[in-house]
Amino acid sequence: MASTQPIFRRAELLLGDEVMSSIGQKRVIIFGVGGVGSWCAESLVRSGITHLTIVDSDRVCITNINRQLMATSKTVGQVKVEALKERLLSINPQAEITALQQIFTAETADSFDIGSYDYIIDAIDSLKDKALLILMATQTQAKFYSSMGAALKLDPTRIKSAEFWKVQGDPLARALRKRFKRDGQYPKHKFQCVYSDELLENKGTPPDDGEEPSMFNKPHTNGTLAHITAIFGFMLAGLVIQDAVKENS
């Protein structure tokens, strides 16, 4: 039986009725909808995901405009998840988008009921919160995918995916592994990451723009470009869709 939504006909033509029906029933949660997570959310909704929860505590600021999907001169000051929700519903008004202006921390972790989702996507910047999400997500039955650092990159051809313990050349993955070893706590199972082994240096003078410190608590923010963060987000979405296809093959 063909899809009742014409917007998905091209996807249905490629994937088939059964796969599209399955994709439409999947529940996905994305933690962090900045440069990576926002593009991931868009790709998922355009690919037929209709049950999506987006989590982020921030508001759009002017320096987000160069790389975050919902960040424009008109949305500066708006709550990120609300601005993104509006965008996603303009793509598919029938989608169920839950927007949570919250942050994933040790204090809030249990409130998200992450075990109720089919897919958990990590696009968190904070090292300690990212580590906690990895530990908790890998204890559930959900499929879990994680983004490593997307800053200080220029070459899109160096972006790839690999199992977490096989990620090479990424400082964030290295810091996470060091933290797990230090604490004697490890992910319960393997999981795929999106990363790049490229690592450039900032050439400009860091602006005093009021942004939060980076994931490594450096006193400045690292440079980032839209084509890199978007590819990271699209690859995360691709991992979800690929898995849904395999599940129905």
Side-chain angles (χ1 to χ4, degrees), residues 166-216:
K166 295 182 179 179
V167 171
Q168 297 181 345
D170 180 86
L172 179 52
R174 185 162 56 246
L176 286 165
R177 290 192 291 255
K178 183 177 180 181
R179 188 182 187 92
F180 292 144
K181 292 175 182 177
R182 182 199 71 189
D183 296 343
Q185 292 181 297
Y186 298 91
K188 292 296 183 182
H189 60 71
K190 296 179 179 180
F191 60 95
Q192 288 291 116
C193 299
V194 175
Y195 76 103
S196 167
D197 58 7
E198 182 180 27
L199 190 62
L200 304 176
E201 294 183 357
N202 289 315
K203 293 185 177 180
T205 302
D208 183 14
D209 53 24
E211 286 194 339
E212 294 296 319
S214 74
M215 67 186 79
F216 300 110

Side-chain angles (χ1 to χ4, degrees), residues 39 79 146:
W39 297 97
V79 174
S146 180

Side-chain angles (χ1 to χ4, degrees), residues 224-237:
T224 320
L225 294 169
H227 70 278
I228 297 295
T229 62
I231 293 172
F232 267 66
F234 288 151
M235 286 187 69
L236 287 168

Side-chain angles (χ1 to χ4, degrees), residues 81-213:
V81 291
E82 293 297 340
L84 181 58
K85 178 178 179 178
E86 182 177 350
R87 163 76 177 189
L88 299 176
L89 289 176
S90 73
I91 296 168
N92 182 8
Q94 296 182 33
E96 295 179 6
I97 310 296
T98 301
L100 302 178
Q101 189 188 8
Q102 298 178 33
I103 188 169
F104 184 90
T105 65
E107 292 71 33
T108 65
D110 290 337
S111 68
F112 296 103
D113 190 21
I114 60 175
S116 67
Y117 292 88
D118 298 293
Y119 296 96
I120 302 168
I121 298 175
D122 159 41
I124 293 176
D125 288 335
S126 164
L127 180 64
K128 69 174 182 178
D129 297 333
K130 194 178 196 76
L132 178 61
L133 178 57
I134 290 172
L135 292 175
M136 293 187 66
T138 55
Q139 292 177 26
T140 72
Q141 296 300 310
K143 295 292 178 63
F144 174 64
Y145 302 113
S146 180
S147 171
M148 296 296 105
L152 301 176
K153 320 291 185 189
L154 181 61
D155 185 352
T157 67
R158 293 173 69 170
I159 302 171
K160 62 199 81 174
S161 69
E163 197 280 317
F164 172 68
W165 294 100
K166 295 182 179 179
V167 171
Q168 297 181 345
D170 180 86
L172 179 52
R174 185 162 56 246
L176 286 165
R177 290 192 291 255
K178 183 177 180 181
R179 188 182 187 92
F180 292 144
K181 292 175 182 177
R182 182 199 71 189
D183 296 343
Q185 292 181 297
Y186 298 91
K188 292 296 183 182
H189 60 71
K190 296 179 179 180
F191 60 95
Q192 288 291 116
C193 299
V194 175
Y195 76 103
S196 167
D197 58 7
E198 182 180 27
L199 190 62
L200 304 176
E201 294 183 357
N202 289 315
K203 293 185 177 180
T205 302
D208 183 14
D209 53 24
E211 286 194 339
E212 294 296 319

